[in-house]
Amino acid sequence: MARVGVFICHCGENIARTVDVAAAAAAAAKFPGVVYSVDYKYMCSDPGQQLIRKAIADHKLTGAVVAACSPRMHENTFRRAAAAAGMNPYLLEMANVREHCAWVHSDRAAATAKAIDLIRVMVEKVKRNRSLKTITVPVEPTAVVIGGGIAGIQAALDIAAGGKQVVLIEKSPSLGGHMARLSETFPTLDCSQCILTPRMVEAANHPNITLMTSSEVESVGGFVGNFEVTVRRKARYVDPAKCTGCGECWSKCPSKNIPSEFDAGLSRRTAIYRASPQAVPNQPVIDAQHCLMLTKGRCGVCAKVCPRGAINFKDADELVKVKAGAIVLATGFELWDHSAYGEYGAGRIADVIDGFAFERLASASGPTAGEIRRPSDGAEPKTVVFVQCCGSRDEKVGVKYCSKICCMYTAKHAMLYAHKVHGGRAVVFYMDIRSAGKGYDEFVRRAIEKDGAEYIRGRVSKIYRRADGKITVRGTDTLAGMPVTVEADMVVLADAVTPRADAQKLARMLGVAYDADGFFSEAHPKLRPVETAVAGVYLAGACQAPKDIPESVSQASAAAAKVLGLFSKPKLEREPIVSHVNRITCAHCRACINACPYKAIEDFNILDRSGKVLRTVSNVNEGLCQGCGTCVSVCRSKSIDLDGFTDEQVYLQIAALEPVEAGAKTEGSS
Amino acid sequence: MLGENAVNVAQTPTLARSILEATGVDVARCYQCGKCTAGCPMARFMDLMPHQIMRLVQIGNAAAEEKLLACAALWSCAGCLTCTQRCPKDLDPAAVMDVLRQISYDRSKTSPEQKKVLAFHRAFLKTVESDGRMSEFSLVRRYKMASRDFMSDVALAPAMFARGKLKFAAHKSPGRKEVGKIFAACRKRGGA
Amino acid sequence: MKSIGYYPGCALACSGIELDLSIRELSRLAEVELCEVADWNCCGASSAHSTGHDLAVALPYRVLALAEAQGLTEVLAPCASCFSRLKGTLVRLRRNPEMLEKMAGLTGRPCRNSVAVVNVLEYLNRLLKDGLAGKFTAPLKGVKVAAYYGCLLSRGEDIVEGDDAENPTGMEAAIRAAGCEVVPWNFATECCGGAFSLAKPEAVVELSAAILGDAEQAGAQMIVTGCPMCHSNLDMRQRAMSAAGRRTGSMPILYLSELLGLAAGIAPKAIGLDRHFTDAMSVAGRSA
């Protein structure tokens, strides 16, 4: 027999001004199943909550409806009060008579009638509420960080500093990502490798961090707190336990003509190679596609000269399973391919390069030892044109968005060039200058006012190479209102920032959404920038949107904080508003499995005593289910229902409403 | 097109709206990058740059319109389509130039500095209206009479005759009267 | 015998006569009948579309209506400007079918917009595909050619189709089939000055000189083009360019159809090679 209590809040004047709360309480007292009905000025206050607790005890209530503000405000408050009085918290519901009634209507009579209806509907629901238990899910306190650039490294260090284990997975043979390839960073002109390498080494040596380089994520199963990540540790052919990084092998390797990815193709590397002298781990790997022994079965010089016998041509890929409670995606970005701009030479002009190539030229440890030299003939360029927005903000070819970092790094490039080539002329063609960070605008002004960079506002229409080797750049000065042609020795294109080509594949593995441009989607653009819609998967760095190093580091630390928050409890508590499958009637049509946006429903085998499969049905993983109810709506046999919002409850709520009379006046516009 | 991008149609200046209706180009989307000007082969011969013309259309008030319709740049445009080809907002500055020319011509507000170009167009059109087809002889004859530019290319004329590239006759089509009627009909509608 | 509608346009009767002659010769060789659109009128070129919207559409519309009434399904318009006007009108009418009625009213002729328009490069490539190269008895040995497309054979969304507008290659197969070497260069789609030949010859001299200059820098011995306006500007004004101090030397300018005609062993005079301002007969001597 239901014994429901109704508690109507005045909320000061907020509700009481418009809704006749006393009348509502009197009406509610007459509802079938209601044994106690009261109104009070501030239900959420201490005496208010005390009132609820006392009523539960005194009247032996089996359910309660608090008619007050939005449940998003105080549902937890009132449920805690109920729990304190010994009633299961899920037997208490709120009727929103403030945001949904008093705050949006002015006609007192109509508003009161509506409030009474809202309360009646919730009373009907509450009578069918069942006691639900909070779901607990164990948490594996290990984080997997995918991506070993600055964002991944920062996240790993922060999580490790919090005392939790981290597995840091990096696709290439070394940590460092793009930041390791930069010469100097804005706005301080710090040497990039100098500030990065200590962190790389710290990450490699940290007792809580397990580093897996030359490794890629193959598949991900499980759910928040209990992920199973299968990592493919690719064959490196060099035994890390034996190798000292002495360099004998790569100095003798005969396969020498491979364009170096690290140096943007400006230098050549050998088949057995180390990306850079600062690589972490500081050990070479063999590029199987170019190794003579691995492709043709001859050579083997490296094995012969290695003093430690560390070369192992029989190495093979290994699949490693890692259990993790949380995953941080920090896969970074790559640059747009400017060969799509036929008017800029379609990528075929050697001295028209991208930003990373310029970084390698400017870098002291780069292919030209920090001297600016053009790729075609090694001459020092006396005029360099920098073209911003190459591919960005383009609705025809390229990407629509602004790549954020190019204004800053172009100013930096112009400054580095001015410092290195005295008397050289740096011309920057720009559309706008986006320099909003701390010290950023001052940095750009310095490039113009102190280092003499010529900033011309206008997009470049055509770039071509003359027979004498000069590069003609046809641009315009929109402010002065005239076309401008510059004969340059070298051109640096600020190519758009795009997500990595394989980022989408990784996202699909995890069920993480990505936007039309391929960047991973955050859970909420304003308030949840480092979480994804998938519980337990977090984002850090440029994989979410173009951003610079300070922002990547901030985001990485934020993601780490989220991870540590997740790991702070040995068990995860989740609201029990989850759906359940009736295994008797489930026909396993899998409509629910396909419809679930959270991949929370799986196949489940019903076994007989000997372990033989009798039938397969659907089963809801309570750890993943978010209670959206999509499965309930697609199930053709009504075999799945949502606790807290069962079909029966919803039908009865609707049935509880009085039908509206034809011609009845309704309150204004909503 | 208008519904897609324009928030407040009533605020769109009249000229911009005419251009939108005639060409589908929504000039509000132009962000003045200047790529059209940068690639324009005739920019060095223009008083207003292509991107400035787009900007004036955006402004669209009486002063802007006056400046636009009377500018010399409209008639220095070669119609090469480089601007349209490369515009990163997928706009069509060449079409905008065309409409401005048409309006300017229709309202007789054409630039006083471009007498030769206009004389050329009038001579061309007069020849077609009368003969149904254009022959260089008829065109050049009319053009020189109108522009008073008798001396240029004089040296080329005999060579052209000798090569059969210039004939001492008009090039008339059988249905030239019908063509003449089309000219008249277009004039009546306004905007021939 | 195959056939195709033929719209010579005004230029092909006089200043562009070589284009007409060479196309007719090649078509005869390829056994394709050119069915001239009866009573065709001028397409209006740039003068019509610069001065009046209705006229700019009505003049090409009449041509399409005539072609349709004649039972033609396809019309070849060798002049790039005519092609741009005809095909541009076709596309416009396709996008705005309500204009058909208006045009019918202005011209007194109905039209369903059923005729396709083909440009000279498409046509020549089609002849090649159908085996014309088999008739090339006198290929030119290794002459270095700069392929010049100009504006209206490279640009125009939905008008020029099937080639890269910035780095077109539509002429390359034909040039190679004629035995020549295609030279990479920068000005393949740069404007020559177009219709400003009469009214702004100084602009034409400057722009065309730059084109010739780049071709020469790239090592080209000859420029091959498809448009009679471009041909005229590049061929006829080389002396003026020298006089203006913009050029030295001379470079033969050939229509692609002339080049193919030479390669097919057709007599140079039959294709108009002797009518150029800048000597092109020397090119004929390069045939095997």
Side-chain angles (χ1 to χ4, degrees), chain A residues 149-487:
Chain A
I150 182 61
I153 291 170
Q154 185 64 44
L157 287 173
D158 286 343
I159 297 169
K164 303 296 175 189
Q165 295 296 311
V166 181
V167 176
L168 178 54
I169 302 172
E170 164 58 39
K171 189 159 130 176
S172 74
S174 166
L175 284 184
H178 287 311
M179 189 176 167
R181 305 166 74 198
L182 305 180
S183 61
E184 287 161 43
T185 55
F186 58 79
T188 50
L189 294 184
D190 274 322
C191 155
S192 183
Q193 292 199 347
C194 306
I195 56 177
L196 176 64
T197 46
R199 302 247 170 142
M200 286 159 65
V201 171
E202 202 190 331
N205 292 342
H206 202 293
N208 289 348
I209 299 180
T210 304
L211 187 56
M212 293 180 73
T213 54
S214 293
S215 299
E216 276 187 70
V217 171
E218 181 101 339
S219 65
V220 178
F223 52 95
V224 59
N226 301 272
F227 289 112
E228 188 172 85
V229 182
T230 303
V231 183
R232 176 178 292 274
R233 187 189 253 128
K234 294 181 288 199
R236 285 168 291 184
Y237 308 100
V238 175
D239 186 343
K242 294 186 183 152
C243 173
T244 58
C246 69
E248 279 301 307
C249 53
W250 67 72
S251 66
K252 301 283 190 294
C253 175
S255 180
K256 291 197 235 262
N257 231 7
I258 306 154
S260 160
E261 298 87 344
F262 190 84
D263 276 346
L266 292 173
S267 69
R268 306 268 147 176
R269 62 166 173 81
T270 45
I272 185 165
Y273 74 105
R274 190 182 54 172
S276 83
Q278 288 77 30
V280 168
N282 205 312
Q283 294 168 337
V285 300
I286 296 183
D287 168 7
Q289 282 186 348
H290 293 101
C291 168
L292 292 171
M293 176 59 89
L294 292 169
T295 51
K296 300 196 173 108
R298 52 186 167 89
C299 180
V301 167
C302 52
K304 291 182 197 121
V305 302
C306 175
R308 304 290 308 273
I311 311 290
N312 170 20
F313 292 113
K314 302 241 183 303
D315 197 5
D317 289 359
E318 193 193 332
L319 289 178
V320 176
K321 287 202 197 300
V322 178
K323 282 201 191 308
I327 298 174
V328 178
L329 291 172
T331 51
F333 70 98
E334 57 191 31
L335 288 182
W336 183 72
D337 183 0
H338 62 249
S339 56
Y341 271 164
E343 60 264 46
Y344 289 3
R348 292 196 278 259
I349 307 175
D351 295 324
V352 174
I353 61 177
D354 68 21
F356 278 131
F358 187 83
E359 294 284 347
R360 295 315 301 146
L361 289 174
S363 173
S365 61
T368 55
E371 287 182 2
I372 308 297
R373 300 201 164 278
R374 20 187 255 167
S376 63
D377 57 8
E380 184 177 67
K382 292 293 181 211
T383 302
V384 178
V385 169
F386 298 89
V387 179
Q388 293 189 186
C389 290
C390 183
S392 303
R393 305 178 65 187
D394 189 323
E395 288 177 31
K396 202 156 167 171
V397 179
V399 300
K400 283 197 185 145
Y401 54 84
C402 164
S403 292
K404 196 165 190 184
I405 58 176
C406 331
C407 285
M408 286 305 292
Y409 77 63
T410 297
K412 177 188 74 174
H413 285 174
M415 290 165 80
L416 293 178
Y417 173 72
H419 298 168
K420 287 172 190 284
V421 181
H422 297 146
R425 184 182 173 212
V427 177
V428 178
F429 282 102
Y430 71 98
M431 277 175 67
D432 295 287
I433 298 297
R434 288 162 180 197
S435 51
K438 191 165 173 176
Y440 282 22
D441 204 59
E442 298 91 312
F443 183 80
V444 178
R445 293 312 309 173
R446 194 171 124 202
I448 298 169
E449 294 169 20
K450 279 205 69 192
D451 291 314
E454 291 170 45
Y455 268 62
I456 303 180
R457 189 195 178 274
R459 257 200 148 136
V460 166
S461 178
K462 185 163 168 158
I463 301 174
Y464 63 89
R465 189 183 176 281
R466 293 184 348 196
D468 65 0
K470 281 271 192 211
I471 317 248
T472 303
V473 177
R474 282 203 206 141
T476 181
D477 187 328
T478 60
L479 299 176
M482 56 194 198
V484 171
T485 301
V486 181
E487 303 294 343

Side-chain angles (χ1 to χ4, degrees), chain C residues 92-262:
Chain C
R92 191 145 197 179
L93 292 170
R94 194 193 298 148
R95 285 193 193 133
N96 304 291
E98 69 279 2
M99 283 183 79
L100 285 167
E101 202 183 306
K102 178 168 146 186
M103 288 299 132
L106 281 171
T107 61
R109 287 186 180 272
C111 181
R112 288 183 330 269
N113 203 18
S114 65
V115 179
V117 180
V118 165
N119 71 29
V120 66
L121 300 185
E122 290 170 317
Y123 179 65
L124 293 174
N125 281 330
R126 198 188 287 182
L127 293 186
L128 274 170
K129 208 169 103 183
D130 289 343
L132 184 64
K135 307 204 170 148
F136 285 0
T137 54
L140 286 73
K141 286 289 166 57
V143 174
K144 293 195 199 305
V145 168
Y148 177 63
Y149 299 78
C151 305
L152 301 178
L153 288 176
S154 64
R155 289 186 283 277
E157 198 182 328
D158 291 339
I159 298 176
V160 177
E161 299 178 274
D163 204 353
D164 183 324
E166 294 289 349
N167 293 294
T169 54
M171 282 199 242
E172 290 188 8
I175 294 172
R176 289 199 183 102
C180 297
E181 191 189 313
V182 173
V183 155
W185 66 310
N186 299 308
F187 277 53
T189 61
E190 294 291 314
C191 182
C192 67
F196 285 131
S197 187
L198 273 181
K200 286 186 188 294
E202 69 282 359
V204 168
V205 163
E206 207 178 303
L207 293 175
S208 294
I211 292 165
L212 288 168
D214 191 77
E216 194 176 71
Q217 292 269 303
Q221 296 162 303
M222 181 167 87
I223 289 182
V224 163
T225 183
C227 165
M229 206 73 257
C230 300
H231 185 278
S232 171
N233 287 339
L234 291 171
D235 172 59
M236 206 171 72
R237 298 206 176 265
Q238 290 194 23
R239 211 174 300 162
M241 292 174 203
S242 301
R246 297 211 171 265
R247 288 249 339 122
T248 53
S250 77
M251 180 172 307
I253 315 291
L254 263 70
Y255 288 104
L256 182 60
S257 46
E258 284 179 306
L259 181 68
L260 299 186
L262 276 183

Side-chain angles (χ1 to χ4, degrees), chain B residues 21-23 39 41-42 44-45 75-83 85-86 90 98-103 105-106 113-114 116-118 120-122 124-125 128 132-137 139-140 143-144 149 152-153 156 159-160 163-167 171 173-176 178-179 181-183 185-186 189-192, chain C residues 9-11 13-18 36-42 44-56 58-59 62 66 84-85 92 102 105-109 151-152 154-157 165-166 189-191 193-204 206-207 231 235-237 274-278:
Chain B
E21 276 156 18
T23 63
M42 297 297 286
R44 71 198 97 159
F45 303 109
W75 304 99
S76 294
C77 164
C80 74
L81 302 181
T82 305
C83 49
Q85 170 61 35
R86 293 181 185 157
D90 213 12
D98 235 17
V99 174
L100 289 172
R101 280 191 286 264
Q102 290 164 9
I103 297 174
Y105 190 82
D106 188 46
E113 289 163 38
Q114 296 280 32
K116 280 166 73 174
V117 172
L118 284 152
F120 173 84
H121 288 315
R122 287 194 188 100
F124 188 104
L125 291 171
V128 177
R133 295 173 186 169
M134 192 275 305
S135 83
E136 261 122 37
F137 175 71
L139 166 66
V140 168
Y143 169 69
K144 294 227 180 264
D149 176 18
S152 50
D153 294 340
L156 287 171
M160 285 189 77
R163 287 162 167 75
K165 293 192 167 201
L166 195 55
K167 297 180 173 111
H171 189 181
S173 74
R176 58 190 175 278
E178 194 182 309
V179 175
K181 286 208 188 100
I182 295 176
F183 273 78
C186 290
R189 277 185 56 95
Chain C
C10 311
C14 26
S15 64
I17 193 165
E18 304 95 327
E36 195 162 316
V37 176
D39 193 26
W40 58 266
N41 56 279
C42 173
S46 58
S47 297
H49 77 71
S50 292
T51 55
H53 170 262
D54 285 343
L55 189 67
L59 289 174
R62 182 175 179 275
L66 285 169
S84 188
R85 291 310 308 146
R92 191 145 197 179
K102 178 168 146 186
L106 281 171
T107 61
R109 287 186 180 272
C151 305
L152 301 178
S154 64
R155 289 186 283 277
E157 198 182 328
E166 294 289 349
T189 61
E190 294 291 314
C191 182
F196 285 131
S197 187
L198 273 181
K200 286 186 188 294
E202 69 282 359
V204 168
E206 207 178 303
L207 293 175
H231 185 278
D235 172 59
M236 206 171 72
R237 298 206 176 265
D274 58 333
R275 299 175 190 246
H276 292 206
F277 275 83
T278 305

